[in-house]
Amino acid sequence: MYRILELLRRQEGFLSGEDIGRELSITRAAVWKGIKKLREEGYEIEAVTNRGYRLTNPETMYNKRELEQGLKTKTMGQSIYFYEETDTTNNRARELALEGAPEGTLVVAEKQTAGRGRRGKVWESPLGTGIWMSLVLRPQIMPVEASVLTLLCGLATAEAIEAETGLSAGIKWPNDILINGKKAVGILTEMDCEMSEVHFVIPGIGINVNTTSFPPEIADIATSLYLECGKTVSRRLERLEEHYETFLRTGSFTAMLEDYRKHCITLGKEVHVLGREPFFAEALDITPEGELLVRRADNGKEEVVF
C-alpha cells in the first residue's frame, strides 16, 4: 500500500493502474485494494477513467505515518502516539511518561474534547484544523529551571510559523503567540517533580492552523494561520529540538534570549500582574531565567514576575 503512495508522490500528474502494477509487480486488483486502503487512512486520491490515479493535497495530510516521514529530528517525535480524538494530549502524554515513555515522545490528536489553556480556560481544538500536541521531556535540571521550557517552546513555535508562512509571530509572555494582535497559539506546560529532581516536563502546544472561523465570542481575539495568510498551511512544523539541545548543553536560556526578546510583544507595554495584591506595571525585560522584569506603576520599583 505505501509503495503505491510513494509512486503517487513522485508523479506530478496521473499514474495509471497498469503502470503502478508494472512498477510494483502486482495485479490491477492489488493496486485497487491499495488505493482503497490509502483512502481509508485519509489520503485524497483522485481516479479518472483512462488516466489513472492522482494524489491530491499531499501537503495537508496529517497522520502518524506523515509525521514520521516528515520529521528530521534525532529525539523529538521518534516515538509518536497519534489519536483521532482524545480529551487532551497533555493527559495522554502524562500517562505515557508515568509508564516510562522516553524523552521526545510525541502525542498528537486530530481533535481534543477537553482542550484547556492557562488558568483553566477552554481551548477549542476542532477536528482536522490544528496542531494539538504534547511532548514528554526529561531534562536533568532543577525544578526551578523548568519554567524557561515554556519560553523555549514559544520561541521555537513562533520561528516555525514564520518560516512556514512568512507571517510575523509575536510572543505574549509567557505562553501565547499572536499574529496581527490575535491569538493563534497557546502553550500549557506541566511538570512532575520532587524538591530537587524533575521527573518529566510536558509542554502542550495548540496551534490554530487551518481554522476558517471562530465562535462569535472569541472571533475578535482568536485567529489561525489560514485566516492570516489566506492559504492552507501544512501542519508538519518542527523547530523545537535545536533550541532544547542548546538549553541542555549550556544549562541556560541565554543563547536564545535575544531572539525571544525580539519576538516578545509584551516588552514596553503595560501589564496587569495578578496575585495576592494585583498591580499594574511596565514590562521592561525578560531575564535569563525566563522571568518578566517589570516596573510597578504605583511606586516605580522594579521586580520580577514568575
Side-chain angles (χ1 to χ4, degrees), residues 274-291:
L274 302 177
R276 184 174 298 177
E277 297 180 5
F279 61 89
F280 287 93
E282 179 189 2
L284 301 177
D285 198 6
I286 305 295
T287 73
E289 292 74 35
E291 304 156 327

Side-chain angles (χ1 to χ4, degrees), residues 32 123-124 200 233 288:
W32 169 243
W123 179 269
E124 297 290 335
F200 56 81
V233 178

Side-chain angles (χ1 to χ4, degrees), residues 8-274:
L8 292 175
R9 280 190 191 283
R10 297 200 299 263
Q11 184 73 17
E12 292 186 5
F14 285 88
L15 187 62
S16 72
E18 182 179 355
D19 288 340
I20 294 173
R22 184 184 304 112
E23 179 73 21
L24 301 179
S25 299
I26 59 177
T27 65
R28 293 284 294 275
V31 171
W32 169 243
K33 288 181 180 179
I35 295 292
K36 183 179 179 182
K37 288 181 179 179
L38 289 171
R39 285 172 169 168
E40 289 172 353
E41 286 198 9
Y43 290 95
E44 297 180 16
I45 300 175
E46 183 181 3
V48 175
T49 303
N50 297 326
R51 298 188 69 186
Y53 305 99
R54 182 170 67 94
L55 184 65
T56 61
N57 300 323
E59 69 282 354
T60 63
M61 190 59 210
Y62 193 65
N63 58 28
K64 185 172 185 287
R65 176 178 172 79
E66 291 298 308
L67 289 171
E68 290 172 339
Q69 294 289 313
L71 286 174
K72 300 177 180 64
T73 53
K74 294 178 290 185
T75 303
M76 301 296 181
Q78 294 306 301
S79 177
I80 298 177
Y81 292 79
F82 189 92
Y83 298 87
E84 289 293 329
E85 180 177 308
T86 189
D87 51 359
T88 76
T89 56
N90 267 29
N91 285 350
R92 299 289 77 73
R94 180 178 180 82
E95 290 173 354
L96 291 165
L98 290 170
E99 294 169 1
E103 168 109 322
T105 296
L106 173 64
V107 179
V108 181
E110 271 282 55
K111 177 182 180 180
Q112 291 185 128
T113 58
R116 61 188 188 278
R118 202 176 181 209
R119 299 192 181 97
K121 293 182 179 179
V122 174
W123 179 269
E124 297 290 335
S125 313
L127 180 69
T129 61
I131 294 174
W132 326 124
M133 58 169 276
S134 298
L135 279 162
V136 175
L137 303 179
R138 297 187 181 276
Q140 295 182 16
I141 58 176
M142 297 290 288
V144 70
E145 299 175 282
S147 61
V148 300
L149 292 175
T150 297
L151 278 66
L152 187 152
C153 290
L155 177 60
T157 304
E159 290 177 340
I161 288 172
E162 290 178 340
E164 184 73 23
T165 67
L167 297 168
S168 178
I171 303 172
K172 182 181 178 183
W173 183 90
N175 63 341
D176 291 341
I177 295 177
L178 278 60
I179 299 175
N180 293 326
K182 294 185 178 183
K183 183 174 177 177
V185 180
I187 299 171
L188 178 65
T189 303
E190 300 175 313
M191 177 171 61
D192 186 277
C193 66
E194 297 177 19
M195 288 293 291
S196 60
E197 181 184 6
V198 171
H199 297 151
F200 56 81
V201 178
I202 299 174
I205 304 173
I207 308 174
N208 298 327
V209 181
N210 292 320
T211 311
T212 57
S213 64
F214 291 90
E217 60 269 22
I218 62 171
D220 290 339
I221 59 174
T223 191
S224 69
L225 306 188
Y226 171 83
L227 289 175
E228 295 302 324
C229 69
K231 63 180 181 180
T232 301
V233 178
S234 168
R235 288 186 284 163
R236 289 174 286 176
L237 304 177
E238 57 180 275
R239 186 62 71 95
L240 177 59
E241 184 170 84
E242 177 184 344
H243 291 328
Y244 183 62
E245 287 182 342
T246 300
F247 170 70
L248 294 181
R249 185 177 65 254
T250 63
S252 171
F253 187 62
T254 303
M256 293 151 279
L257 188 53
E258 191 57 36
D259 284 335
Y260 188 91
R261 286 172 175 149
K262 291 177 181 177
H263 281 85
C264 186
I265 61 174
T266 306
L267 298 181
K269 294 183 178 179
E270 182 182 65
V271 294
H272 188 203
V273 180
L274 302 177

